[in-house]
Amino acid sequence: KNEVEQSPQNLTAQEGEFITINCSYSVGISALHWLQQHPGGGIVSLFMLSSGKKKHGRLIATINIQEKHSSLHITASHPRDSAVYICAVGGAGNQFYFGTGTSLTVIP
Amino acid sequence: DTEVTQTPKHLVMGMTNKKSLKCEQHMGHRAMYWYKQKAKKPPELMFVYSYEKLSINESVPSRFSPECPNSSLLNLHLHALQPEDSALYLCASSQAQGGNEQFFGPGTRLTVL
């Protein structure tokens, strides 16, 4: 069993739709990270969370520490949001665990 | 400067070649990481350097040899690689090892013939 599980694995949306990607983890964490990777590209850090909610432009990330669950929301999705979104957690034991990623395609 | 740079962007090498990947950051970060990423898979941790000392080696074959000459530089020396080693190699850095936010470089796309 992976320490970090994401759903869905693949997601196709029409431009303008509201998108939610979910992440569940099973280890104790110091922080949870949402990362974005465009095809063939490097990884960009979107959020680092240890509690509550953060917002940056059209992106919102929430975390529920008790339930060991986080969500990434994209409002008014756009084709340029098409990418792989990866949830990762920083463990207490100096480890960094990655989820398997959610491949998002936004169709014009 | 909030950037991690990696060179080269692309590398093609034969199984008998020796090559090196380079990573650099000037954010004062004391932890640096090498990851290997195959297509449609998440990154897999290879090595972690903390304060210029090798902290984690995830049972990586000896044909991969990391080096941290100073706090800003991280190298990955490659020798006698196999075709299955073809992948995207990502470097990252963070303020300290552990759950701190990691800043990733653009990666080196390696092809082993």
Side-chain angles (χ1 to χ4, degrees):
Chain A
K1 185 184 184 301
N2 292 334
E3 290 85 0
V4 182
E5 299 276 358
Q6 280 185 242
S7 63
Q9 279 192 313
N10 297 286
L11 181 55
T12 300
Q14 291 289 334
E15 183 174 358
E17 283 185 3
F18 180 83
I19 288 162
T20 296
I21 300 170
N22 295 300
C23 174
S24 297
Y25 54 92
S26 58
V27 295
I29 69 167
S30 55
L32 181 141
H33 306 259
W34 282 103
L35 311 169
Q36 180 194 55
Q37 187 172 31
H38 282 100
I43 291 175
V44 174
S45 177
L46 298 175
F47 294 104
M48 184 173 75
L49 290 166
S50 52
S51 65
K53 175 179 173 178
K54 285 190 177 179
K55 185 175 189 291
H56 181 67
R58 295 180 294 106
L59 302 178
I60 303 166
T62 63
I63 187 168
N64 184 317
I65 297 293
Q66 286 73 31
E67 294 185 5
K68 296 191 171 180
H69 181 269
S70 175
S71 294
L72 176 68
H73 306 285
I74 304 175
T75 61
S77 59
H78 190 276
R80 64 174 173 267
D81 297 326
S82 299
V84 174
Y85 292 83
I86 303 170
C87 173
V89 299
N94 292 332
Q95 265 289 13
F96 205 70
Y97 302 96
F98 289 88
T100 51
T102 294
S103 179
L104 171 65
T105 302
V106 181
I107 300 169
Chain B
D1 185 356
T2 59
E3 200 179 15
V4 177
T5 59
Q6 287 187 244
T7 55
K9 286 188 179 178
H10 301 274
L11 178 62
V12 179
M13 60 187 290
M15 289 190 284
T16 58
N17 292 157
K18 283 186 184 181
K19 296 286 184 183
S20 296
L21 309 184
K22 295 186 186 306
C23 173
E24 193 166 0
Q25 57 86 16
H26 296 286
M27 294 178 277
H29 289 173
R30 303 316 299 266
M32 296 185 77
Y33 309 77
W34 278 118
Y35 292 93
K36 173 183 176 181
Q37 188 180 27
K38 301 286 270 185
K40 299 189 187 300
K41 297 286 187 184
E44 298 172 26
L45 182 66
M46 300 175 72
F47 302 104
V48 181
Y49 272 82
S50 180
Y51 290 85
E52 299 154 57
K53 288 187 169 25
L54 183 63
S55 170
I56 294 177
N57 176 342
E58 289 287 350
S59 303
V60 179
S62 60
R63 57 186 185 268
F64 295 91
S65 174
E67 179 198 18
C68 189
N70 60 57
S71 60
S72 299
L73 290 173
L74 185 66
N75 298 322
L76 186 63
H77 303 297
L78 315 172
H79 175 53
L81 294 194
Q82 303 295 312
E84 60 264 28
D85 296 322
S86 299
L88 180 68
Y89 288 84
L90 292 161
C91 174
S93 71
S94 64
Q95 279 193 328
Q97 189 179 339
N100 290 280
E101 182 176 15
Q102 292 191 15
F103 291 77
F104 286 84
T108 293
R109 176 73 60 188
L110 174 68
T111 303
V112 182
L113 301 175

